[in-house]
Amino acid sequence: MEYAGFWRRFGAYWIDVLIWIPIGILMVWLGGLNKYVYISLLLPNLIIGVWFHVYLVKKYGGTPGKLLMKIKITKIDGSPVGYREAMIRYSVLFALAILSTIAMVIAMSNMPSEEYYSLGWKARSLRLIQYTPFWYAWVDLFTNVWVWSEFVVMLTNKQRRSVHDFMAGTIVIKSAS
């Protein structure tokens, strides 16, 4: 087994981010039509996240970014990951996504409809943040710290394992195909 290097993993992350951008654009566009449509899309967005980060990892050994970078996730012994390992890898981001979703539902509920519909998408997004509960700032901060600390930890060990790899007992290796 040859461990995937930092730059391959970093590239895979950004490919996955690019894949998520159209989903975000669609949510913003649909949310502009009706704030209750936006709220109703939050749960499916969480489900898509689980499909992307858990199901695809279990089924194919990685997210699309990893597969395009020709790397895959395995258990430390090289065997395929199961749902348990895939969910553990995603658990922190999933918890943070749930908290962010709750904060957005609260913000949407608190923002008067007249104000919501009077603003453009950018101004609306910025204003919604002001309606989130006080703890949302901590969730946002911790999300950023979590994501970037994953890369820092990856740089500090020879196997290029990140925090979620240590949690789940996984490694990322170069794939044969």
Side-chain angles (χ1 to χ4, degrees), residues 103 106-112 115 126-133:
I106 292 168
M108 290 283 199
S109 301
N110 290 336
M111 186 177 202
E115 181 179 12
L126 293 171
R127 186 75 174 122
L128 270 171
I129 298 300
Q130 296 173 349
Y131 282 102
T132 58

Side-chain angles (χ1 to χ4, degrees), residues 4 8 64-72 173-177:
R8 274 193 192 211
K66 284 186 178 55
L67 299 176
L68 287 169
M69 294 300 290
K70 301 199 182 308
I71 57 179
K72 72 179 198 173
I173 60 172
K174 292 181 179 178
S175 62
S177 53

Side-chain angles (χ1 to χ4, degrees), residues 9 12 17 20 24 31 101 107-109 117-118 130 132-133 141 157 159:
R9 291 193 68 178
V17 167
W20 276 94
T101 299
M108 290 283 199
S109 301
Y117 295 116
S118 71
Q130 296 173 349
T132 58
L141 174 67
N157 64 86
Q159 295 177 327

Side-chain angles (χ1 to χ4, degrees), residues 16 19-20 23 43-60 62-64 83 86-87 90 94:
D16 288 340
I19 289 168
W20 276 94
I23 295 167
L43 180 59
N45 193 46
L46 286 172
I47 293 168
I48 292 169
V50 170
W51 172 79
F52 193 86
H53 294 284
V54 177
Y55 174 76
L56 293 179
V57 167
K58 196 285 186 199
K59 175 92 174 158
Y60 300 106
T63 59
Y83 283 115
M87 193 60 211
Y90 185 53
F94 184 64

Side-chain angles (χ1 to χ4, degrees), residues 14-116:
W14 286 106
I15 290 170
D16 288 340
V17 167
L18 289 173
I19 289 168
W20 276 94
I21 287 174
I23 295 167
I25 290 170
L26 180 63
M27 281 197 63
V28 168
W29 180 75
L30 290 172
L33 301 175
N34 185 306
K35 78 179 193 176
Y36 300 105
V37 169
Y38 183 88
I39 291 172
S40 69
L41 290 174
L42 292 172
L43 180 59
N45 193 46
L46 286 172
I47 293 168
I48 292 169
V50 170
W51 172 79
F52 193 86
H53 294 284
V54 177
Y55 174 76
L56 293 179
V57 167
K58 196 285 186 199
K59 175 92 174 158
Y60 300 106
T63 59
K66 284 186 178 55
L67 299 176
L68 287 169
M69 294 300 290
K70 301 199 182 308
I71 57 179
K72 72 179 198 173
I73 304 162
T74 68
K75 293 180 187 178
I76 293 174
D77 65 4
S79 63
V81 295
Y83 283 115
R84 179 183 178 281
E85 292 83 15
M87 193 60 211
I88 290 170
R89 285 174 57 87
Y90 185 53
S91 62
V92 173
L93 279 180
F94 184 64
L96 292 167
I98 288 173
L99 290 172
S100 292
T101 299
I102 292 167
M104 283 298 122
V105 169
I106 292 168
M108 290 283 199
S109 301
N110 290 336
M111 186 177 202
S113 293
E114 315 77 58
E115 181 179 12
Y116 182 86

